[in-house]
């Protein structure tokens, strides 16, 4: 079995965290390949190394001296080296970095956080260091050239065997450093797992997996032990995220599961993201619940709307004209709604309504603000008839008015709009009645798409 273990910034923040990583890697010989982020926060008021390097770039851009800032970053790595008794020449390499910093691109500067972290981790784990610059290949449009990347990674495996690789960056075909978006270390790990045909991609962080509800709203919500990729996307879209969303695609396409684990509590089961249930497993009816406040809905009514070709498209073109992203479009026979973030239209909602009236000549337009969206997510809801009605009934009994209802085409989520004022109470009501209690027996050899 082959496992790729990716450790986030909190897992490599200082020497004590390095020791935890070593304990985790040494405990399982299948963890042959390790990917690390740049050192993260050591305590609440601390700074991530990546943020400090971004600040260095800002200093350089505005011709402000950044010597003290660079020495602060250097000190972080010197402290790790000295505490662990490592030999890697941090001071010399950092001096070289400082001396040539103006000759390098901003992306190169930011990538040094991962580079120094991986160099120290490689020595500490007694594994070879593999520079992501040499194997992760980007097209010039910013997408990853998976074919070239796979060839280079497989060649590295042949040459080096096991290794430690920095995440978050690679290079274009001409050798220039290219960064992923923030959180891209997760993507690096997923690409590595795909390219070496790993059996499991472990993502080690500072939480013990996905929670079934926001702990700021629900006291001690249960951990989701298994979730499908689609469910994770649904919950992440509403803010319940512990994993960079784009990191799922490289491994999902080839059927490699992801496991979210806690570096500080490695004995915890964590969350496994996979499509296939164990034979005869007993699972929760509802996987999780998430939501956000401060949406706005524009309801448009027009008699015989359904017979007017392009009516909804013309409405959406108005929102596109103002650069507004549409969240949901609940529809009826003679009406539809457009749900958007209130922040996206705060300066132009009146202009949008004016253009809709001019473009569509509707019978009426009604704007509803102070709207919160709640997504109830569960791959097993379709297995039990009447689940939606029971959820709505529980909210009704609690005196919570549902302003909007829509359901995903895959039937794994129900999205409801309620007043901002009812948001927390609605989530707790659904959680108490369904999320932590109701179970479903899975049929044998169940495959979840």
């Amino acid at each position: 079995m082959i496992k790729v273990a990716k450790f986030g910034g909190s897992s490599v923040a200082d020497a004590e965290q390095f020791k935890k990583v070593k304990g985790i890697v040494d405990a399982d010989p299948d963890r042959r390949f390790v990917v690390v982020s740049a050192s993260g926060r050591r305590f609440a008021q601390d700074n991530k190394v990546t943020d400090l390097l971004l600040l260095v770039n800002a200093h350089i851009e505005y011709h402000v001296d950044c010597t003290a800032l660079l020495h602060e970053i250097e000190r972080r790595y010197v402290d790790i080296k000295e505490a662990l008794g490592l030999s890697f020449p941090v001071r010399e390499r950092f001096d070289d970095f400082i001396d040539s910093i103006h000759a390098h691109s901003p992306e190169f500067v930011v990538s040094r956080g991962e580079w120094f972290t991986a160099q120290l981790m490689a020595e500490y784990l007694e594994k070879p260091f593999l520079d992501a610059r040499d194997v992760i290949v980007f097209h010039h449009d910013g997408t990853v050239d998976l074919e070239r990347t796979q060839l280079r990674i497989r060649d590295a495996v042949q040459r080096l065997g096991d290794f430690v690789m920095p995440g978050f960056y690679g290079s274009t075909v001409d050798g220039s450093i290219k960064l992923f978006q923030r959180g891209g270390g997760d993507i690096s790990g997923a690409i590595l797992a795909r390219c070496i045909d790993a059996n499991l991609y472990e993502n080690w962080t500072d939480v013990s997996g996905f929670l079934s509800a926001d702990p700021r709203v629900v006291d001690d919500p249960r951990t989701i032990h298994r979730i499908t990729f689609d469910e994770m996307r649904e919950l992440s879209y509403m803010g319940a995220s512990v994993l960079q969303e784009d990191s799922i695609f490289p491994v999902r396409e080839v059927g490699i599961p992801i496991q979210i684990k806690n570096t500080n509590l490695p004995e915890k089961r964590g969350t496994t993201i996979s499509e296939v249930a164990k034979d005869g497993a007993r699972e929760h009816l509802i996987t999780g619940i998430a939501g956000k406040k401060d949406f706005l809905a524009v309801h448009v009514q027009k008699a015989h709307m359904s017979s007017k070709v392009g009516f909804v498209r013309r409405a959406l073109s108005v929102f596109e004209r103002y650069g507004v992203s549409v969240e949901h479009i609940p529809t009826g026979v003679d009406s539809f709604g457009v749900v958007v973030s209130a922040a996206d239209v705060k300066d132009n909602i009146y202009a949008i309504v004016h253009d809709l009236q001019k473009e569509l000549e509707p019978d009426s337009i009604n704007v509803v603000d102070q709207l919160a969206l709640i997504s109830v997510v569960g791959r097993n809801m379709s297995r039990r008839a009447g689940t939606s009605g029971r959820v709505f009934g529980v909210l009704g009994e609690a005196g919570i008015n549902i302003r909007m209802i829509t359901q995903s085409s895959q039937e794994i989520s129900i999205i409801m709009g309620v007043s901002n004022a009812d948001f927390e109470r609605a989530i707790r009501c659904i959680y108490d009645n369904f999320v932590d209690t109701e179970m479903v027996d899975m049929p044998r050899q169940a495959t979840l798409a």
Side-chain angles (χ1 to χ4, degrees), residues 7-8 11-15 17-22 25 34-37 39 77 80 84 86 88 114-129 163-165:
F7 293 90
S11 301
V12 293
D14 56 24
Q17 293 301 98
F18 266 56
K19 292 176 183 178
K20 293 176 184 178
V21 170
K22 183 172 175 59
V25 174
V34 175
V35 179
V36 294
S37 295
S39 296
Y77 290 113
I80 292 172
L84 299 177
L86 303 177
F88 180 75
E114 276 75 12
W115 190 86
F116 276 101
T117 305
Q119 288 280 7
L120 292 171
M121 185 61 75
E123 181 183 349
Y124 190 49
L125 296 179
E126 300 180 336
K127 291 178 180 288
F129 168 84
F163 53 74
V164 174
M165 186 182 83

Side-chain angles (χ1 to χ4, degrees), residues 292-299 337-347 349-350 353 365-373 401-404 416-423:
K292 292 180 182 178
K293 291 183 178 181
D294 298 322
F295 290 91
L296 178 149
V298 179
H299 294 285
V338 179
V339 180
V340 299
S341 169
D344 290 348
V345 296
K346 64 178 182 179
D347 296 325
I349 185 60
Y350 295 109
V353 170
I365 293 181
N366 182 34
V367 176
V368 177
D369 61 0
Q370 297 292 307
L371 187 67
L373 296 183
N401 185 31
I402 300 175
R403 315 286 294 276
M404 182 203 82
M416 297 165 287
V418 301
S419 168
N420 274 348
D422 289 329
F423 177 70

Side-chain angles (χ1 to χ4, degrees), residues 42-278:
R42 296 160 292 183
F43 45 86
Q45 291 75 36
D46 198 17
N47 293 302
K48 299 177 181 179
V49 165
T50 298
D51 290 337
L52 294 176
L53 288 167
L54 288 167
L55 190 56
V56 166
N57 276 333
H59 279 59
I60 293 172
E61 181 181 358
Y62 293 102
H63 308 289
V64 177
D65 180 53
C66 58
T67 303
L69 192 55
L70 285 165
H71 284 308
E72 179 184 347
I73 300 168
E74 179 185 16
R75 185 73 248 172
R76 291 279 297 271
Y77 290 113
V78 170
D79 286 347
I80 292 172
K81 171 194 170 178
E82 293 178 347
L84 299 177
L86 303 177
S87 62
F88 180 75
V90 173
R91 292 188 190 277
E92 293 85 342
R93 294 291 184 271
F94 216 92
D95 286 344
D96 293 342
F97 170 51
I98 293 174
D99 290 343
S100 61
I101 196 167
H102 292 282
H104 292 299
S105 70
E107 291 190 278
F108 178 92
V109 171
V110 174
S111 73
R112 294 308 85 183
E114 276 75 12
W115 190 86
F116 276 101
T117 305
Q119 288 280 7
L120 292 171
M121 185 61 75
E123 181 183 349
Y124 190 49
L125 296 179
E126 300 180 336
K127 291 178 180 288
F129 168 84
L130 175 66
D131 196 344
R133 179 180 195 167
D134 297 330
V135 291
I136 305 292
V137 185
F138 283 89
H139 295 293
H140 283 290
D141 65 359
T143 59
V144 175
D145 185 335
L146 278 174
E147 185 175 350
R148 287 193 186 186
T149 297
Q150 185 173 59
L151 288 172
R152 293 189 183 189
I153 286 177
R154 290 186 173 181
D155 176 68
V157 172
Q158 289 292 322
R159 290 185 292 105
L160 303 175
D162 306 352
F163 53 74
V164 174
M165 186 182 83
F168 190 40
Y169 72 90
S171 66
T172 55
V173 290
D174 63 4
S176 301
I177 291 289
K178 177 71 176 175
L179 301 179
F180 288 101
Q181 58 189 294
R182 286 302 293 266
D186 292 345
I187 304 175
S188 301
I191 290 172
L192 175 59
R194 176 188 177 126
C195 290
I196 63 174
D197 295 325
N199 302 98
L200 180 66
Y201 172 37
E202 294 181 330
N203 194 283
W204 292 84
T205 180
D206 56 0
V207 295
S208 299
F210 279 87
L211 296 177
S212 52
D214 189 335
R216 295 168 297 183
V217 179
V218 174
D219 293 334
D220 194 26
R222 67 171 173 83
T223 299
I224 302 169
H225 292 308
R226 194 181 75 80
I227 188 171
T228 65
F229 290 100
D230 285 331
E231 288 176 308
M232 192 208 78
R233 291 277 291 168
E234 293 281 345
L235 290 171
S236 295
Y237 186 74
M238 284 295 185
S241 180
V242 296
L243 184 71
Q244 214 285 349
E245 289 185 51
D246 289 340
S247 67
I248 71 172
F249 296 111
V251 291
R252 181 182 189 177
E253 291 170 355
V254 292
I256 299 172
I258 302 174
Q259 190 168 36
I260 310 297
K261 296 277 283 182
N262 190 338
T263 303
N264 303 312
L265 297 167
E267 70 281 0
K268 295 287 187 180
R269 179 177 169 183
T271 298
T272 299
I273 309 169
S274 68
E275 303 290 10
V276 181
K278 292 181 180 179

